[in-house]
Amino acid sequence: MEPSLNQKKKCSLFSRFDLDYIHLYPWPLLWKTSLLWFSFFCLGLSDSMRGPTLMDLKDLINEDVSAVSSTFALRAFGGLVGCFISGSMLDSISPSSRYIFIAVAYFVLSFCTLYLPYSPNLLVMQIVSVIFGLFNGSFHTATNPLLLRIWKGRNSSPYMYAMHFFFGAGALLSPIV
């Protein structure tokens, strides 16, 4: 006696991933989410680059380590202020303008990361660190609700965890690279 079609389907190794499941998955949402994941990976790379390069930055501007390490505190302060400012500002702009806000924040973060080694003195390096912190906090404040809005009505927690995992993966790989 031959097993029925339902019994064959239950015995299949890939029965959970049948074609209906693949076609019903929201692939465009995953595409938008993967762009956020990539941006967080790159942000993790640039955010953790200062620690391993602290001695080189010290040599570039001929200052001692304690003076150059003040950039870490200033970056954190800028991040705190950036979270508060962008949080109140994002409430007043349209959802489509938030994408432009994120793009501008990411552009400024990239510029600050590239300009930091070319800072001529400690004051400029500290100013660049504060600006980096402001836009880093703004970027985080804008992207977390964006991910929740992308997956509105669905379980967004695995995607949120993955987004912050990619930040950590970039931060882990930065000293190695």
Side-chain angles (χ1 to χ4, degrees):
M1 183 170 183
E2 230 178 276
S4 69
L5 184 61
N6 287 338
Q7 289 175 340
K8 283 183 183 180
K9 203 171 194 179
K10 288 181 184 176
C11 296
S12 173
L13 181 63
F14 299 106
S15 63
R16 181 176 169 207
F17 299 107
D18 59 358
L19 290 177
D20 291 336
Y21 181 75
I22 291 173
H23 290 295
L24 293 176
Y25 192 79
W27 294 107
L29 301 180
L30 187 63
W31 174 248
K32 291 178 185 178
T33 305
S34 65
L35 290 174
L36 281 175
W37 289 345
F38 180 71
S39 66
F40 262 70
F41 178 78
C42 293
L43 186 63
L45 283 172
S46 69
D47 198 29
S48 66
M49 195 173 294
R50 290 198 177 107
T53 60
L54 183 66
M55 300 305 279
D56 296 326
L57 293 174
K58 171 189 78 83
D59 292 338
L60 286 173
I61 61 171
N62 296 323
E63 293 281 345
D64 59 344
V65 176
S66 63
V68 176
S69 63
S70 68
T71 61
F72 291 105
L74 290 171
R75 184 182 64 188
F77 177 72
L80 181 67
V81 172
C83 286
F84 284 121
I85 291 173
S86 65
S88 62
M89 189 170 56
L90 287 171
D91 289 338
S92 64
I93 62 175
S94 68
S96 60
S97 299
R98 293 176 188 176
Y99 289 102
I100 296 169
F101 180 80
I102 290 170
V104 168
Y106 204 74
F107 176 75
V108 173
L109 288 169
S110 303
F111 176 76
C112 289
T113 301
L114 291 174
Y115 184 72
L116 188 72
Y118 300 107
S119 298
N121 55 28
L122 181 62
L123 180 64
V124 174
M125 191 175 283
Q126 290 172 336
I127 291 170
V128 168
S129 293
V130 169
I131 293 171
F132 183 89
L134 280 168
F135 284 94
N136 190 12
S138 299
F139 183 80
H140 281 280
T141 303
T143 52
N144 285 324
L146 175 64
L147 185 74
L148 294 174
R149 201 172 120 227
I150 289 172
W151 293 96
K152 186 176 183 179
R154 300 173 191 263
N155 184 13
S156 62
S157 61
Y159 305 105
M160 183 70 78
Y161 294 143
M163 185 170 70
H164 290 93
F165 167 78
F166 279 108
F167 179 85
L172 177 71
L173 289 178
S174 178
I176 298 170
V177 174

